[in-house]
Amino acid sequence: MQLSVQTAGSPPTSLILGPGAPVMVFDVGGTDLKYGVVDSTGRFAHQGTTPTARASQGEFLDQLSRLVAIYRAEPPERRPQAIAVNAPGIVDASTGVVVSAVNLGWTDFALSSALEARVGLPVVLGNDVQVAGLAEHRLGAAKGLRNALVLVIGTGIASAVILDGEVYDGDGYAGEIGHARMEPLTSTTAIPCTCGASGCLQTVSSASAIARNYSAVSGIAVVGAKEVMEAAAAGDAAAVGVLDQAYDGLALAIAQSVALLAPQAVIFGGGLSNAGDALLVPVADRLDSILSFHRRPLLLPARFGSSAGLLGGAVQARQLLCKERPAGGRQTPSPWRD
Ligand SMILES: [Zn+2]
Protein backbone atom coordinates (compact mmCIF):
# COMPACT_ATOMS: atom_id res chain seq x y z
CA MET A 1 0.00 0.00 0.00
CA GLN A 2 1.62 3.26 -1.11
CA LEU A 3 -0.62 6.15 -0.20
CA SER A 4 0.09 9.85 0.02
CA VAL A 5 -1.87 12.40 2.01
CA GLN A 6 -2.75 15.21 -0.33
CA THR A 7 -5.41 17.83 0.14
CA ALA A 8 -6.62 20.28 -2.46
CA GLY A 9 -3.88 22.74 -3.28
CA SER A 10 -1.29 20.96 -1.12
CA PRO A 11 1.92 19.38 -2.33
CA PRO A 12 2.59 15.71 -1.47
CA THR A 13 3.53 14.95 2.13
CA SER A 14 7.12 14.19 1.13
CA LEU A 15 7.45 17.90 0.32
CA ILE A 16 5.44 19.00 3.37
CA LEU A 17 7.27 16.93 5.99
CA GLY A 18 10.63 16.48 4.27
CA PRO A 19 13.28 13.89 5.09
CA GLY A 20 13.71 12.62 8.64
CA ALA A 21 13.29 9.57 10.81
CA PRO A 22 10.54 7.10 9.89
CA VAL A 23 7.75 7.32 12.48
CA MET A 24 4.28 5.94 13.13
CA VAL A 25 1.25 8.01 14.11
CA PHE A 26 -2.06 6.95 15.67
CA ASP A 27 -5.02 9.33 15.60
CA VAL A 28 -7.49 7.91 18.10
CA GLY A 29 -11.19 8.63 17.73
CA GLY A 30 -14.17 7.37 19.67
CA THR A 31 -15.15 5.24 16.67
CA ASP A 32 -12.14 4.90 14.39
CA LEU A 33 -8.40 4.57 14.83
CA LYS A 34 -6.48 6.19 11.99
CA TYR A 35 -2.83 5.37 11.58
CA GLY A 36 0.03 6.14 9.24
CA VAL A 37 3.71 5.36 8.78
CA VAL A 38 5.89 8.20 7.52
CA ASP A 39 9.06 7.02 5.78
CA SER A 40 12.49 8.64 5.79
CA THR A 41 11.55 10.83 2.80
CA GLY A 42 8.52 12.27 4.63
CA ARG A 43 5.97 10.36 2.59
CA PHE A 44 3.13 8.33 4.09
CA ALA A 45 4.29 4.83 3.14
CA HIS A 46 1.28 3.25 4.84
CA GLN A 47 -2.06 4.51 6.04
CA GLY A 48 -5.15 2.85 7.37
CA THR A 49 -8.29 3.11 9.45
CA THR A 50 -9.75 0.47 11.74
CA PRO A 51 -12.43 0.50 14.47
CA THR A 52 -10.94 1.64 17.79
CA ALA A 53 -10.64 -1.23 20.30
CA ARG A 54 -12.77 0.10 23.13
CA ALA A 55 -13.45 -2.86 25.41
CA SER A 56 -10.54 -2.05 27.73
CA GLN A 57 -7.31 -0.07 27.86
CA GLY A 58 -5.43 -3.35 27.61
CA GLU A 59 -7.23 -4.29 24.43
CA PHE A 60 -6.50 -0.85 22.98
CA LEU A 61 -2.79 -1.20 23.80
CA ASP A 62 -2.81 -4.67 22.22
CA GLN A 63 -4.35 -3.19 19.06
CA LEU A 64 -1.62 -0.54 18.78
CA SER A 65 1.12 -3.03 19.60
CA ARG A 66 -0.03 -5.38 16.84
CA LEU A 67 -0.02 -2.57 14.28
CA VAL A 68 3.43 -1.38 15.38
CA ALA A 69 4.77 -4.95 15.11
CA ILE A 70 3.58 -5.20 11.51
CA TYR A 71 5.51 -2.12 10.43
CA ARG A 72 8.63 -2.84 12.48
CA ALA A 73 9.25 -5.66 10.01
CA GLU A 74 9.65 -3.12 7.20
CA PRO A 75 13.02 -2.05 5.70
CA PRO A 76 14.90 0.63 7.71
CA GLU A 77 13.60 3.55 5.63
CA ARG A 78 10.02 2.63 6.61
CA ARG A 79 10.62 1.07 10.04
CA PRO A 80 9.18 3.39 12.73
CA GLN A 81 11.69 4.72 15.27
CA ALA A 82 9.14 6.60 17.36
CA ILE A 83 5.38 6.62 17.88
CA ALA A 84 2.94 9.52 18.23
CA VAL A 85 -0.54 8.96 19.65
CA ASN A 86 -3.19 11.69 19.31
CA ALA A 87 -6.05 11.22 21.76
CA PRO A 88 -9.28 13.13 22.33
CA GLY A 89 -10.15 14.76 25.65
CA ILE A 90 -7.94 16.23 28.36
CA VAL A 91 -4.39 15.11 27.63
CA ASP A 92 -1.34 15.96 29.72
CA ALA A 93 1.35 15.81 27.05
CA SER A 94 4.15 16.45 29.55
CA THR A 95 3.39 13.27 31.50
CA GLY A 96 1.95 11.19 28.65
CA VAL A 97 -1.33 10.71 30.49
CA VAL A 98 -4.88 10.90 29.12
CA VAL A 99 -6.50 12.64 32.08
CA SER A 100 -10.03 12.22 30.73
CA ALA A 101 -11.46 11.00 27.43
CA VAL A 102 -15.20 10.69 27.94
CA ASN A 103 -15.93 9.12 24.55
CA LEU A 104 -13.49 6.29 25.28
CA GLY A 105 -14.24 5.93 28.98
CA TRP A 106 -10.61 6.65 29.91
CA THR A 107 -9.53 8.39 33.12
CA ASP A 108 -5.88 8.90 34.13
CA PHE A 109 -4.65 6.48 31.47
CA ALA A 110 -0.81 6.52 31.39
CA LEU A 111 -0.85 5.73 27.70
CA SER A 112 2.71 6.75 26.75
CA SER A 113 4.53 4.66 29.33
CA ALA A 114 2.21 1.68 28.83
CA LEU A 115 2.75 1.67 25.08
CA GLU A 116 6.49 2.29 25.39
CA ALA A 117 6.75 -0.74 27.66
CA ARG A 118 4.94 -2.89 25.11
CA VAL A 119 6.62 -1.83 21.88
CA GLY A 120 10.08 -0.73 23.04
CA LEU A 121 9.92 2.56 21.14
CA PRO A 122 9.62 6.15 22.36
CA VAL A 123 6.02 7.39 22.44
CA VAL A 124 4.73 10.96 22.47
CA LEU A 125 1.12 11.67 23.40
CA GLY A 126 -0.88 14.71 22.35
CA ASN A 127 -4.43 16.01 22.27
CA ASP A 128 -5.91 15.59 18.80
CA VAL A 129 -6.83 19.26 18.36
CA GLN A 130 -3.51 20.53 19.75
CA VAL A 131 -1.64 18.24 17.37
CA ALA A 132 -3.75 19.37 14.40
CA GLY A 133 -2.93 22.95 15.45
CA LEU A 134 0.75 22.05 15.53
CA ALA A 135 0.46 20.78 11.94
CA GLU A 136 -1.13 24.04 10.83
CA HIS A 137 1.53 26.04 12.65
CA ARG A 138 4.61 24.12 11.53
CA LEU A 139 3.46 23.18 8.04
CA GLY A 140 0.17 24.83 7.13
CA ALA A 141 -1.94 27.97 7.25
CA ALA A 142 -0.26 29.40 10.39
CA LYS A 143 3.29 28.62 9.30
CA GLY A 144 5.70 31.37 10.27
CA LEU A 145 3.29 33.10 12.66
CA ARG A 146 4.27 33.68 16.29
CA ASN A 147 0.71 33.90 17.59
CA ALA A 148 -2.36 32.23 16.15
CA LEU A 149 -5.58 30.50 17.07
CA VAL A 150 -6.58 27.31 15.24
CA LEU A 151 -10.32 26.71 15.61
CA VAL A 152 -11.70 23.26 14.89
CA ILE A 153 -15.46 23.40 14.37
CA GLY A 154 -17.27 20.12 13.89
CA THR A 155 -19.42 18.08 16.27
CA GLY A 156 -17.95 20.29 18.97
CA ILE A 157 -15.62 23.28 18.98
CA ALA A 158 -12.04 23.26 20.24
CA SER A 159 -8.91 25.23 19.49
CA ALA A 160 -5.16 25.16 19.57
CA VAL A 161 -3.51 28.30 20.90
CA ILE A 162 -0.15 29.19 19.35
CA LEU A 163 1.75 31.55 21.65
CA ASP A 164 5.26 32.79 20.91
CA GLY A 165 5.70 30.07 18.32
CA GLU A 166 4.64 27.16 20.53
CA VAL A 167 1.37 25.33 21.13
CA TYR A 168 0.17 26.39 24.58
CA ASP A 169 -1.84 23.53 26.05
CA GLY A 170 -2.29 24.57 29.69
CA ASP A 171 -1.40 21.06 30.92
CA GLY A 172 -4.18 19.74 28.69
CA TYR A 173 -6.89 22.22 29.66
CA ALA A 174 -6.23 25.11 27.27
CA GLY A 175 -8.04 25.77 24.02
CA GLU A 176 -11.49 24.61 25.14
CA ILE A 177 -13.22 27.63 23.69
CA GLY A 178 -16.21 25.49 22.72
CA HIS A 179 -17.02 25.32 26.41
CA ALA A 180 -16.77 29.05 27.08
CA ARG A 181 -20.19 30.34 28.15
CA MET A 182 -21.60 32.84 25.69
CA GLU A 183 -25.03 33.40 27.28
CA PRO A 184 -25.68 36.00 30.01
CA LEU A 185 -25.85 34.41 33.45
CA THR A 186 -29.48 35.52 33.71
CA SER A 187 -30.41 33.79 30.45
CA THR A 188 -33.30 31.37 30.66
CA THR A 189 -32.69 30.00 27.17
CA ALA A 190 -29.10 28.77 27.57
CA ILE A 191 -28.87 25.35 25.94
CA PRO A 192 -27.46 22.49 28.06
CA CYS A 193 -24.04 21.32 26.87
CA THR A 194 -22.54 17.83 26.86
CA CYS A 195 -19.92 19.08 29.35
CA GLY A 196 -22.57 19.56 32.03
CA ALA A 197 -22.68 23.35 31.81
CA SER A 198 -25.07 25.34 29.65
CA GLY A 199 -24.85 28.20 27.19
CA CYS A 200 -21.44 27.03 25.90
CA LEU A 201 -20.27 28.30 22.50
CA GLN A 202 -20.64 24.88 20.94
CA THR A 203 -24.34 24.69 21.86
CA VAL A 204 -25.01 27.35 19.21
CA SER A 205 -22.02 27.45 16.85
CA SER A 206 -20.86 23.88 16.22
CA ALA A 207 -21.91 22.11 13.03
CA SER A 208 -24.07 19.69 14.97
CA ALA A 209 -25.66 22.51 17.01
CA ILE A 210 -26.59 24.37 13.82
CA ALA A 211 -28.37 21.28 12.51
CA ARG A 212 -30.00 20.46 15.84
CA ASN A 213 -31.14 24.00 16.59
CA TYR A 214 -32.58 24.42 13.10
CA SER A 215 -34.55 21.20 13.45
CA ALA A 216 -35.86 22.38 16.83
CA VAL A 217 -37.00 25.73 15.43
CA SER A 218 -38.35 24.60 12.06
CA GLY A 219 -39.51 21.07 12.81
CA ILE A 220 -37.57 19.96 9.73
CA ALA A 221 -35.07 17.14 10.30
CA VAL A 222 -31.66 17.80 8.72
CA VAL A 223 -28.49 15.73 8.64
CA GLY A 224 -25.97 18.53 8.94
CA ALA A 225 -25.15 22.24 8.91
CA LYS A 226 -24.68 22.21 5.13
CA GLU A 227 -28.42 21.76 4.64
CA VAL A 228 -29.11 24.67 6.99
CA MET A 229 -26.72 26.88 5.01
CA GLU A 230 -28.46 25.87 1.80
CA ALA A 231 -31.86 26.62 3.34
CA ALA A 232 -30.64 30.03 4.49
CA ALA A 233 -29.31 30.81 1.02
CA ALA A 234 -32.78 29.96 -0.32
CA GLY A 235 -34.37 32.45 2.09
CA ASP A 236 -35.52 30.16 4.92
CA ALA A 237 -35.97 32.57 7.86
CA ALA A 238 -35.49 29.88 10.51
CA ALA A 239 -32.19 28.84 8.93
CA VAL A 240 -31.04 32.46 8.73
CA GLY A 241 -31.86 32.95 12.41
CA VAL A 242 -29.98 29.84 13.54
CA LEU A 243 -26.93 30.77 11.46
CA ASP A 244 -27.01 34.37 12.73
CA GLN A 245 -26.83 33.03 16.26
CA ALA A 246 -24.01 30.63 15.32
CA TYR A 247 -21.93 33.31 13.59
CA ASP A 248 -22.57 35.80 16.42
CA GLY A 249 -21.26 33.23 18.89
CA LEU A 250 -18.11 32.55 16.88
CA ALA A 251 -17.42 36.26 16.39
CA LEU A 252 -17.86 36.99 20.09
CA ALA A 253 -15.62 34.09 21.11
CA ILE A 254 -12.94 35.14 18.64
CA ALA A 255 -13.22 38.76 19.83
CA GLN A 256 -12.52 37.66 23.42
CA SER A 257 -9.51 35.68 22.19
CA VAL A 258 -8.29 38.66 20.16
CA ALA A 259 -8.53 40.97 23.16
CA LEU A 260 -6.63 38.52 25.33
CA LEU A 261 -4.07 36.97 22.98
CA ALA A 262 -3.85 39.19 19.87
CA PRO A 263 -3.42 36.31 17.42
CA GLN A 264 -2.05 37.29 14.00
CA ALA A 265 -4.45 34.84 12.40
CA VAL A 266 -7.44 32.68 13.24
CA ILE A 267 -7.38 29.43 11.27
CA PHE A 268 -10.69 27.67 10.63
CA GLY A 269 -10.61 23.86 10.52
CA GLY A 270 -13.08 21.05 11.13
CA GLY A 271 -16.12 20.06 9.10
CA LEU A 272 -17.86 23.45 9.21
CA SER A 273 -14.82 25.12 7.64
CA ASN A 274 -15.60 23.27 4.41
CA ALA A 275 -18.20 26.01 3.89
CA GLY A 276 -15.29 28.37 3.09
CA ASP A 277 -16.26 32.00 2.58
CA ALA A 278 -19.89 31.21 3.44
CA LEU A 279 -18.58 30.86 7.01
CA LEU A 280 -15.54 33.15 7.05
CA VAL A 281 -17.17 36.24 5.54
CA PRO A 282 -20.14 36.58 7.95
CA VAL A 283 -17.87 35.86 10.94
CA ALA A 284 -15.29 38.40 9.68
CA ASP A 285 -18.00 41.05 9.22
CA ARG A 286 -19.25 40.55 12.76
CA LEU A 287 -15.75 40.50 14.23
CA ASP A 288 -14.92 43.73 12.43
CA SER A 289 -17.97 45.40 13.96
CA ILE A 290 -17.02 44.27 17.49
CA LEU A 291 -13.32 45.18 17.57
CA SER A 292 -11.95 48.69 18.10
CA PHE A 293 -8.22 49.30 18.60
CA HIS A 294 -7.43 45.59 18.60
CA ARG A 295 -5.13 43.99 16.08
CA ARG A 296 -7.38 42.45 13.49
CA PRO A 297 -6.40 38.87 12.80
CA LEU A 298 -6.42 37.30 9.37
CA LEU A 299 -9.20 34.73 9.12
CA LEU A 300 -7.94 31.80 7.07
CA PRO A 301 -9.11 28.29 6.17
CA ALA A 302 -6.98 25.45 7.53
CA ARG A 303 -4.58 23.93 5.02
CA PHE A 304 -5.00 20.35 6.17
CA GLY A 305 -8.33 18.65 6.57
CA SER A 306 -8.60 15.27 8.21
CA SER A 307 -4.87 14.65 7.59
CA ALA A 308 -3.79 17.35 10.08
CA GLY A 309 -3.63 14.90 12.99
CA LEU A 310 -1.36 12.44 11.19
CA LEU A 311 0.92 15.22 9.96
CA GLY A 312 1.14 16.88 13.37
CA GLY A 313 1.76 13.53 15.01
CA ALA A 314 4.63 12.87 12.60
CA VAL A 315 6.15 16.23 13.56
CA GLN A 316 5.80 15.33 17.26
CA ALA A 317 7.34 11.87 16.86
CA ARG A 318 10.30 13.24 14.89
CA GLN A 319 10.80 15.97 17.49
CA LEU A 320 10.99 13.29 20.16
CA LEU A 321 13.94 11.75 18.34
CA CYS A 322 15.57 15.10 17.60
CA LYS A 323 15.65 16.12 21.27
CA GLU A 324 13.25 18.96 20.60
CA ARG A 325 10.39 19.75 22.89
CA PRO A 326 7.01 18.55 21.57
CA ALA A 327 3.85 20.64 21.79
CA GLY A 328 2.67 20.88 25.36
CA GLY A 329 6.18 20.63 26.72
CA ARG A 330 7.60 17.26 27.57
CA GLN A 331 9.60 18.23 30.65
CA THR A 332 11.13 14.86 31.47
CA PRO A 333 14.07 13.85 29.26
CA SER A 334 13.10 10.70 27.40
CA PRO A 335 15.27 7.66 28.15
CA TRP A 336 14.84 6.76 24.49
CA ARG A 337 16.74 9.70 23.16
CA ASP A 338 20.21 8.84 21.92
ZN1 LIG B 1 -19.79 22.87 27.38
Side-chain angles (χ1 to χ4, degrees), residues 49-207:
T49 302
T50 188
T52 306
R54 303 173 47 112
S56 68
Q57 293 176 359
E59 189 192 302
F60 173 75
L61 291 166
D62 287 344
Q63 180 182 38
L64 267 52
S65 302
R66 280 195 300 273
L67 287 164
V68 171
I70 290 170
Y71 296 106
R72 288 191 82 180
E74 290 278 295
E77 65 272 16
R78 296 197 296 275
R79 187 184 305 153
Q81 295 177 18
I83 311 288
V85 181
N86 310 333
I90 307 298
V91 172
D92 188 339
S94 65
T95 58
V97 173
V98 180
V99 177
S100 170
V102 175
N103 288 346
L104 291 157
W106 296 345
T107 304
D108 294 328
F109 178 17
L111 200 160
S112 284
S113 57
L115 187 60
E116 281 180 350
R118 288 185 185 229
V119 302
L121 289 172
V123 174
V124 60
L125 177 69
N127 165 272
D128 50 5
V129 173
Q130 308 296 320
V131 173
L134 179 76
E136 290 296 337
H137 180 244
R138 297 296 169 86
L139 310 165
K143 188 175 181 180
L145 301 181
R146 280 175 55 78
N147 300 294
L149 184 69
V150 180
L151 273 180
V152 178
I153 310 168
T155 308
I157 299 177
S159 71
V161 180
I162 316 294
L163 284 183
D164 288 336
E166 299 287 339
V167 177
Y168 171 77
D169 78 344
D171 305 319
Y173 289 89
E176 297 285 1
I177 198 166
H179 298 289
R181 182 169 173 125
M182 304 306 295
E183 290 284 317
L185 295 185
T186 52
S187 170
T188 56
T189 57
I191 299 170
C193 180
T194 52
C195 74
S198 59
C200 294
L201 174 66
Q202 71 176 43
T203 66
V204 294
S205 300
S206 68

Side-chain angles (χ1 to χ4, degrees), residues 20-47:
V23 295
M24 186 161 190
V25 183
F26 293 100
D27 207 26
V28 187
T31 306
D32 289 326
L33 173 69
K34 286 196 294 182
Y35 59 91
V37 175
V38 173
D39 67 16
S40 57
T41 71
R43 192 175 52 100
F44 273 97
H46 304 283
Q47 256 185 289

